[in-house]
């Protein structure tokens, strides 16, 4: 049988193989489907390569494809391997195209959403979003993750590495985690440009040396006798919350998210669940008489179990509420001829700073043991082997400490009770 013709191919229906010459053949299957096949020999082995189906591939195109493959054979190239390489290159190009469309901003948003449920603090996701949006996004937000280099990371970190060391360290760590996630998704490979050990540690000074700890502005304990009457004159939830934060020496988030179900007035205990504690451990707070009196005056809001419910259902008042109260108090005191509510550096005090006020008072004015004071602040008081043998939470000793603190806080210069 000689060369095939277009008319002949169209009319062929009998299953079998029909040669066109130079290894090109038409294969008709029992189901009537027609396939183009190129038969060739390479390195002493007979091989077959599909060239497509008829009529999608006509006779003219099949012959051209066959001629192209035989040209590769003359150059010692396996046409099957060449086809596989071309397909792989196309897949790679398509992946690269898609990866370029997936930016650092996209991957970081996916990372935050994926980990949101696992973060014990509901504000953690917002902190991630804010820091990356503020520091990383202007430099790498619109870049594909495989385009991000060490120089990009340095451009982000250098301006804040010394002036905002703690923030810079967190930004670096968050960039590293996002880029690790991108690598796990196949969006980048190679060295993580935000990795510290063995990489950025050769280009930046250690965070501990760059860091300049900035403590929360705190009121000297000697000023409490003047401060508490001023606070007593302030109305609203933020004032109640601030009083509770002072009397308990707890963190602002622990106070703001307090739930009535955690408070037991009979046992005089406030039990904060582990999920809301920085150390991830349950913390029991002894309730002084002054604190119980305060709790009894806090109005209960219908439909909410929170002590300090905010405008959004199920959420407390803003963490800025207490700070804004302190700023207004500061301005009022200055207007009234006072010196304001400032620390030794003339900075307006913060709610968190009252933990330092409490600790300074306990160390300088009381005989209470260090361990008792640190445990009242929910700090870790032991490590290693010592921690393994530490079983007590020193509750009864902390009751005495917090009662002494409440007595100090709630009495003015003349010794009369304020709360």
């Amino acid at each position: 049988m000689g060369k095939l013709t277009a008319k002949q191919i169209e009319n062929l229906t009998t299953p079998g193989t029909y040669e066109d010459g130079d290894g090109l053949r038409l294969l008709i299957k029992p189901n009537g489907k027609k396939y183009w096949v190129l038969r060739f020999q390479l390195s002493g082995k007979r091989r077959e390569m599909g060239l497509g189906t008829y009529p999608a591939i006509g006779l003219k195109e099949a012959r051209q494809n066959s001629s192209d493959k035989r040209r590769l054979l003359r150059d010692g190239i396996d046409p099957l391997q060449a086809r596989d390489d071309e397909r792989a290159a196309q897949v790679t190009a398509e992946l690269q195209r898609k990866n370029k469309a997936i930016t650092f901003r996209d991957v970081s948003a996916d990372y935050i959403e994926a980990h949101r449920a696992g973060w014990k603090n509901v504000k953690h996701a917002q902190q991630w979003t804010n820091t990356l949006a503020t520091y990383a996004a202007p430099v790498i937000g619109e870049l594909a993750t495989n385009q991000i280099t060490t120089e990009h990371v340095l451009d982000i970190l250098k301006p804040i590495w010394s002036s905002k060391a703690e923030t810079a360290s967190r930004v670096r760590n968050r960039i590293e985690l996002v880029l690790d996630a991108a690598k796990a998704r196949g969006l980048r490979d190679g060295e993580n440009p935000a990795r510290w050990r063995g990489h950025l540690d050769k280009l930046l000074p250690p965070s501990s040396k760059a860091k300049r700890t900035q403590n929360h502005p705190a009121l000297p304990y000697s000023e409490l006798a003047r401060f508490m009457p001023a606070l007593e004159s302030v109305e609203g939830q933020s004032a109640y919350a601030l009083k509770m934060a002072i009397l308990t020496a707890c963190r602002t988030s622990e106070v703001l998210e307090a739930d009535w179900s955690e408070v037991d007035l009979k046992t005089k205990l406030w039990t904060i669940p582990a999920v809301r504690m920085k150390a991830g451990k349950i913390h029991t707070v002894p309730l002084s008489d002054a604190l119980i009196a305060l709790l009894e005056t806090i109005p209960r809001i219908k439909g909410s179990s929170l002590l300090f419910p905010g405008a959004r259902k199920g959420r407390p008042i803003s963490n800025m509420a207490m700070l804004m109260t302190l700023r207004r108090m500061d301005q009022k005191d200055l207007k009234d001829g006072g010196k304001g509510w400032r620390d030794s550096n003339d900075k307006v005090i913060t709610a968190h700073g009252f933990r330092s006020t409490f600790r300074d008072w306990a160390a300088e004015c009381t005989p209470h043991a260090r361990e008792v004071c640190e445990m009242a602040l929910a700090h870790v008081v032991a490590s290693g082997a010592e921690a393994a043998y530490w079983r007590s939470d020193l509750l009864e000793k902390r009751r005495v400490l917090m009662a002494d603190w409440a007595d100090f806080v709630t009495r003015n210069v003349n010794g009369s009770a304020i709360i």
Side-chain angles (χ1 to χ4, degrees):
M1 189 174 181
K3 292 278 188 178
L4 296 171
T5 66
K7 188 68 173 177
Q8 182 183 18
I9 295 170
E10 183 180 349
N11 294 328
L12 283 172
T13 58
T14 305
T17 301
Y18 300 86
E19 300 288 346
D20 185 63
D22 294 327
L24 179 62
R25 52 177 53 178
L26 181 70
L27 177 64
I28 302 179
K29 293 289 185 73
N31 60 7
K33 289 189 176 181
K34 302 173 183 179
Y35 301 87
W36 293 108
V37 177
L38 175 65
R39 191 176 187 187
F40 62 93
Q41 185 170 307
L42 184 66
S43 301
K45 294 183 179 180
R46 287 189 177 276
R47 310 281 296 280
E48 284 191 350
M49 180 179 184
L51 299 181
T53 62
Y54 178 89
I57 304 295
L59 177 59
K60 184 177 180 180
E61 186 177 355
R63 286 173 177 169
Q64 183 60 53
N65 287 346
S66 175
S67 177
D68 292 341
K69 301 303 181 286
R70 288 197 302 273
R71 189 177 298 111
L72 292 174
L73 285 167
R74 287 195 296 271
D75 294 335
I77 300 174
D78 182 350
L80 283 169
Q81 185 61 52
R83 183 182 65 184
D84 291 344
D85 291 344
E86 182 180 0
R87 288 175 176 173
Q90 290 174 347
V91 171
T92 300
E94 179 62 17
L95 284 174
Q96 289 176 344
R97 185 189 67 78
K98 290 181 178 179
N99 290 351
K100 282 185 178 180
I102 302 175
T103 65
F104 178 86
R105 192 190 304 275
D106 297 328
V107 179
S108 61
D110 290 345
Y111 183 94
I112 292 169
E113 192 58 37
H115 290 78
R116 185 187 299 273
W119 286 328
K120 65 181 182 181
N121 192 329
V122 294
K123 290 183 260 182
H124 206 46
Q126 192 59 50
Q127 290 168 351
W128 263 73
T129 301
N130 292 344
T131 54
L132 292 179
T134 301
Y135 301 104
V139 179
I140 61 175
E142 301 309 317
L143 292 179
T145 53
N146 60 2
Q147 295 176 318
I148 297 171
T149 67
T150 300
E151 288 305 313
H152 288 127
V153 177
L154 289 174
D155 286 345
I156 295 168
L157 298 179
K158 280 184 176 180
I160 58 173
W161 193 251
S162 296
S163 61
K164 300 178 180 179
E166 185 65 28
T167 297
S169 180
R170 290 176 179 173
V171 170
R172 183 210 63 77
N173 179 249
R174 288 166 184 173
I175 294 173
E176 181 183 15
L177 291 173
V178 171
L179 294 182
D180 277 346
K183 186 174 182 179
R185 291 172 57 178
L187 300 177
R188 65 169 289 120
D189 53 23
E191 179 79 54
N192 189 321
R195 183 167 61 86
W196 175 253
R197 191 177 298 278
H199 187 58
L200 288 180
D201 63 350
K202 304 297 186 290
L203 304 172
L204 293 168
S207 179
S208 59
K209 292 184 178 180
K211 185 176 182 179
R212 299 291 182 270
T213 302
Q214 299 200 1
N215 295 321
H216 293 270
L219 184 75
Y221 61 82
S222 59
E223 284 285 277
L224 275 171
R226 190 172 75 90
F227 176 82
M228 292 308 295
L231 177 58
E232 189 63 21
S233 66
V234 179
E235 298 180 352
Q237 285 185 307
S238 61
Y240 284 123
L242 184 54
K243 291 175 191 175
M244 184 169 175
I246 295 171
L247 287 170
T248 60
C250 284
R251 298 177 179 88
T252 55
S253 62
E254 296 160 6
V255 171
L256 291 175
E257 296 174 9
D259 193 284
W260 285 111
S261 64
E262 300 166 0
V263 178
D264 189 333
L265 296 180
K266 290 183 179 179
T267 60
K268 296 185 177 182
L269 287 176
W270 170 30
T271 303
I272 309 175
V275 70
R276 293 205 293 103
M277 294 301 300
K278 184 176 181 179
K281 296 174 63 177
I282 292 175
H283 181 54
T284 53
V285 181
L287 303 182
S288 62
D289 290 342
L291 183 54
I292 290 175
L294 173 65
L295 290 171
E296 289 175 341
T297 63
I298 295 176
R300 300 204 180 198
I301 308 301
K302 186 177 180 180
S304 177
S305 61
L306 294 171
L307 270 70
F308 310 107
R312 291 173 56 191
K313 187 175 181 180
R315 297 298 306 142
I317 58 175
S318 166
N319 61 343
M320 289 294 292
M322 286 190 274
L323 180 59
M324 296 309 296
T325 294
L326 288 169
R327 288 178 179 175
R328 286 192 292 269
M329 289 178 65
D330 175 71
Q331 291 303 306
K332 183 178 186 304
D333 193 65
L334 289 172
K335 186 177 179 180
D336 293 344
K339 55 185 177 181
W341 303 112
R342 310 291 179 99
D343 68 356
S344 57
N345 295 316
D346 199 37
K347 292 184 178 180
V348 179
I349 60 174
T350 64
H352 191 88
F354 281 100
R355 286 167 58 83
S356 295
T357 305
F358 164 79
R359 191 64 186 87
D360 290 344
W361 165 83
E364 298 179 20
C365 302
T366 79
H368 293 287
R370 170 190 170 278
E371 291 80 5
V372 179
C373 301
E374 289 297 298
M375 197 165 284
L377 292 168
H379 286 167
V380 176
V381 297
S383 60
E386 183 183 4
Y389 291 98
W390 198 282
R391 295 288 186 267
S392 174
D393 63 359
L394 305 179
L395 177 60
E396 296 310 314
K397 289 186 176 182
R398 286 192 291 120
R399 282 192 189 277
V400 177
L401 169 63
M402 299 316 291
D404 290 347
W405 170 241
D407 184 64
F408 179 80
V409 167
T410 58
R411 295 191 178 276
N412 64 16
V413 178
N414 298 320
S416 58
I418 296 171
I419 295 180

